[in-house]
Every structure is written in structure tokens, then in C-alpha cells.
Amino acid sequence: MTLGDYLRRLVRWLASLHAPLGRWSPLAATGLFLLAGLSHLRGVYYLAYFGACVLLLLFAADLAKTFIDEGSFPLRPATKMTWPMLAFRLLLTGVLGSGYSFFVWVGVGPWWPPIVWPVILFICFFIAWRNLQLWYEQGAEFEQELAEDAQHHAARLPASTNPQMR
């Protein structure tokens, strides 16, 4: 086995640990960063900061897994996005990413070098865009399942429920 194979196995293992929280891990991590920033107890500060870093590491492994597994990106064509929909998604990404970055800023403290803040902001916006994409895909899958269920349910119903029509 090569080093690349070991790294792929490690990323897949870390991504499997991420599965219980799913798309809520960035929100939980930012909440833990906020708790660390607002806490005056050193034990709570270190525990929350460590937990947030672990959650972000697991989320990063989940993102990396989508790049190393061929089956992670569906080959189905994406639906066309209209300008109003794109603008709305960019607005939601901005709001969600700003919230993430604010909580991270409160958590790590403003004493970090200013050169790091654009990187943190970019990462927070990327995570927000990815979360919105996952929510959109989950909604589309749910709509498809509802349509299949309705079609299956309609096929089982008799042609008429009115006895006079028979």
C-alpha cells in the first residue's frame, strides 16, 4: 500500500466519524468556539476549543472524502439555477458564513494576526456554501421520494371510489 492509500483510508475513517452530526457539525463547532470565547473558566474554554477543532477536522475530512471518492459526486445533471435563485443562495451563504465567522472570531479571540481573518472568512463562506448545497440536494431527494410515493400510492387506489360509477 502506498502513502496515498493510507491517507485515503484515514480520510474515509475520519469522515465516517463525522456522520452522526452530519450537516450540523459546522454549527456545533461555531457554537463551541462561541462558548470558548465567552467562558471565563479555563477548563470549559479548553474543552470547548478542543471540541470545536475536532468537529472542524471531521468536517474537513468529510469534505475531502467527496474529492477522493468517485461516488460522492453524483453524475446527474444539476438543475439550472436562475439569477434570482443564485442571488438568494449567495445571500444565504453570506448570512450563514458571516455567522460562522463571527462565532469563530469570538471563540479564537481578536488577538490572532489580521492576516488569518480573510482565510477564516473564506473557509466559513465555503462551509456555508457547502451546507446550502447539501440542504438543497437533501430537499431535492425528499421531493423525489414524495413524488415516487404519491405515484405508488395512486397506482394502488381503485379507479373510482364512488359505487354508482361502477
Side-chain angles (χ1 to χ4, degrees):
M1 245 193 223
T2 65
L3 180 63
D5 293 332
Y6 285 119
L7 288 176
R8 282 186 192 91
R9 290 176 75 187
L10 177 66
V11 166
R12 286 185 184 113
W13 178 72
L14 286 173
S16 70
L17 295 176
H18 173 264
L21 283 177
R23 65 181 183 268
W24 298 107
S25 66
L27 188 60
T30 55
L32 285 173
F33 275 126
L34 181 65
L35 178 68
L38 298 177
S39 176
H40 296 292
L41 300 172
R42 281 292 168 207
V44 173
Y45 172 80
Y46 289 123
L47 189 62
Y49 198 81
F50 177 74
C53 289
V54 166
L55 284 176
L56 287 179
L57 177 71
L58 294 178
F59 187 74
D62 186 49
L63 285 177
K65 181 180 177 261
T66 61
F67 292 113
I68 63 171
D69 285 345
E70 297 92 22
S72 295
F73 282 122
L75 297 176
R76 63 179 183 247
T79 58
K80 291 216 178 222
M81 190 174 301
T82 61
W83 282 107
M85 185 64 172
L86 178 63
F88 186 68
R89 284 185 71 180
L90 287 173
L91 176 72
L92 282 177
T93 299
V95 169
L96 198 59
S98 297
Y100 288 166
S101 61
F102 175 74
F103 290 146
V104 170
W105 181 78
V106 169
V108 298
W111 49 267
W112 274 43
I115 192 103
V116 175
W117 289 115
V119 175
I120 289 175
L121 191 63
F122 175 76
I123 291 170
C124 288
F125 284 141
F126 179 73
I127 289 172
W129 180 265
R130 174 80 172 138
N131 269 353
L132 286 173
Q133 182 66 30
L134 290 174
W135 291 337
Y136 177 76
E137 288 174 5
Q138 187 179 25
E141 289 174 6
F142 183 69
E143 285 180 4
Q144 184 179 5
E145 288 175 9
L146 282 177
E148 290 172 359
D149 187 43
Q151 186 180 30
H152 179 67
H153 184 65
R156 290 188 309 169
L157 288 177
S160 174
T161 55
N162 188 354
Q164 294 176 352
M165 296 289 288
R166 291 185 193 170

